[in-house]
Amino acid sequence: MIKVGVIGVGHLGKVHAKLWKEVAGAELMGVFDTNIEEASKLAAELGCKAYPTVQALLDATDGVSIVTPTSFHYQVALEGIDRGKHLFIEKPITSTVAEAKELVEIAKKKNVQIQVGHIERFNPALLAAEPYIKEPKFFESHRLAQFKPRGTDVAVVLDLMIHDIDVILSLVKTDVVSVDASGVSVVSDEIDIANARIKFAGGAVANVTASRISQNPMRKLRIFERDAYLSIDFAAKNTEVFRLASKKDASGSNSLQFNLGEIERAERKLNIIYEKPEVKDLNPLRYELERFCEVVSGNNAPIVSGYDGLRALEVAEHIMTSIEKE
Ligand code: NAD
């Protein structure tokens, strides 16, 4: 059994605490929040302890979820690393690249593992798509949300777009070579809608759009590569694949599959195959915590490491700089 705790039990921290109770192999020792009343109420509900200080909670655990507002991630994470505790840090890892770099470096020196809460990597729609993704050439992503005051203290790039930045960085194995972005503040004082074109060495391009002022919510990623087009709907948890295959590779899959017809290319006959891979019924946040539990136990490396969180933040910062130059 590993001992865990949650620091910051606002909107998302409460969900972390409740889900930790469901993770086999983990024991929720307690929670800490600067709002002592909220922490005590939740602790009573979950049958755990509301610790009086962040240090007291850290001392009672092997690893913690840090779910404070982003501006406090750095300071709380430093306390955790100092005590040698493994950290699940909600996304974005920190407010600035400099802070994230420092955390990653110190954690490495102290043998502390950091996992960052880029939850879409655990979305079963992406997991179903991954075996089909080989060498993406073009991405089109839309993450559109209705306006809510929560989260508007940071630009939509750090709040929403960073999810797609992280997923795309995990699928392209080369470096970012350029970023060109536009954005507008409409309702809040920060950027509410943004679009970025990210170019990678080797030629892959991502056209990424995020908005928090949209009437109709959407969380979709479309991926184009030679011989295949994939559509991933993170909200509906649905994946569709259109791919070209010779007769031989067109059969043998377990997923729902139709042959949409035949085309001839370079004197080869190819089938246009439509597939709807099976998408597992899983709660991405619980799955994320289960994987972190394995990290704390020393059985696995984090799927989304502190370094991944840093890379996503670096690209987000380039996007913000590009918007500011407009
Ligand atoms: P929130 O404002 O609802 O909750 C934050 C809580 O932290 C509050 O209860 C506050 O009292 C407490 N707090 C503030 N400073 C603290 C400190 N120094 N120590 C301990 N507690 C402190 O915020 P939220 O919406 O739950 O977001 C929290 C984090 O989760 C943010 O980093 C946000 O970006 C991230 N988040 C991630 C996702 C996702 O999809 N992965 C979704 C929402 C939020």
Side-chain angles (χ1 to χ4, degrees), residues 175-194:
D175 290 336
V176 171
V177 290
S178 74
V179 164
D180 188 14
S182 308
V184 186
S185 305
V186 179
V187 178
S188 74
D189 291 333
E190 298 286 344
I191 298 294
D192 293 313
I193 179 162

Side-chain angles (χ1 to χ4, degrees), residues 78-265:
L78 274 185
E79 297 264 12
I81 297 171
D82 196 41
R83 286 174 156 71
K85 308 297 173 175
H86 301 298
L87 306 175
F88 181 110
I89 309 177
E90 259 309 334
K91 59 88 315 232
I93 178 169
T94 51
S95 302
T96 68
V97 166
E99 287 173 349
K101 269 191 183 148
E102 195 184 327
L103 286 188
V104 169
E105 274 167 27
I106 305 177
K108 195 172 168 204
K109 278 190 200 137
K110 293 248 183 177
N111 280 326
V112 162
Q113 296 283 359
I114 297 179
Q115 181 172 324
V116 183
H118 285 292
I119 193 166
E120 296 295 31
R121 288 245 231 137
F122 301 82
N123 189 305
L126 178 68
L127 300 177
E130 273 170 352
Y132 295 86
I133 304 170
K134 297 197 170 63
E135 202 182 333
K137 295 283 183 209
F138 183 67
F139 298 86
E140 179 81 51
S141 79
H142 287 95
R143 185 167 296 262
L144 316 178
Q146 287 175 340
F147 185 76
K148 288 191 199 90
R150 206 161 39 78
T152 51
D153 53 327
V154 292
V156 72
V157 177
L158 282 181
D159 184 24
L160 299 183
M161 190 185 273
I162 197 154
H163 284 291
D164 300 302
I165 296 171
D166 168 68
V167 168
I168 292 165
L169 290 178
S170 77
L171 297 173
V172 183
K173 305 299 171 208
T174 58
D175 290 336
V176 171
V177 290
S178 74
V179 164
D180 188 14
S182 308
V184 186
S185 305
V186 179
V187 178
S188 74
D189 291 333
E190 298 286 344
I191 298 294
D192 293 313
I193 179 162
N195 171 266
R197 191 175 168 85
I198 306 166
K199 282 193 187 166
F200 292 87
V205 171
N207 189 34
V208 189
T209 302
S211 158
R212 55 184 172 207
I213 47 163
S214 294
Q215 185 72 358
N216 299 313
M218 179 191 281
R219 287 194 275 146
K220 271 195 177 175
L221 174 64
R222 298 175 181 92
I223 303 174
F224 301 82
E225 54 182 58
R226 183 70 175 159
D227 294 342
Y229 157 62
L230 292 96
S231 173
I232 301 166
D233 188 330
F234 293 104
K237 300 203 171 70
N238 185 20
T239 292
E240 292 177 302
V241 181
F242 294 83
R243 61 188 179 91
L244 295 180
S246 66
K247 270 231 157 62
K248 209 166 124 245
D249 358 293
S251 58
S253 163
N254 287 331
S255 55
L256 179 66
Q257 194 179 98
F258 300 106
N259 190 336
L260 300 180
E262 223 176 47
I263 60 155
E264 200 165 308
R265 201 174 67 194

Side-chain angles (χ1 to χ4, degrees), residues 22-47:
E22 298 175 14
V23 174
E27 184 185 359
L28 178 69
M29 303 305 290
V31 297
F32 170 74
D33 196 295
T34 43
N35 183 336
I36 291 161
E37 205 180 310
E38 276 297 305
S40 304
K41 225 162 63 187
L42 182 70
E45 190 190 317
L46 298 179

Side-chain angles (χ1 to χ4, degrees), residues 11-75:
H11 169 75
L12 188 61
K14 285 191 179 71
V15 186
H16 271 249
K18 286 175 187 163
L19 288 175
W20 268 125
K21 296 284 289 182
E22 298 175 14
V23 174
E27 184 185 359
L28 178 69
M29 303 305 290
V31 297
F32 170 74
D33 196 295
T34 43
N35 183 336
I36 291 161
E37 205 180 310
E38 276 297 305
S40 304
K41 225 162 63 187
L42 182 70
E45 190 190 317
L46 298 179
C48 64
K49 191 171 162 184
Y51 283 81
T53 61
V54 71
Q55 294 81 4
L57 173 61
L58 285 165
D59 287 341
T61 57
D62 304 307
V64 289
S65 294
I66 299 179
V67 203
T68 62
T70 304
S71 49
F72 296 100
H73 288 184
Y74 168 74
Q75 169 199 322

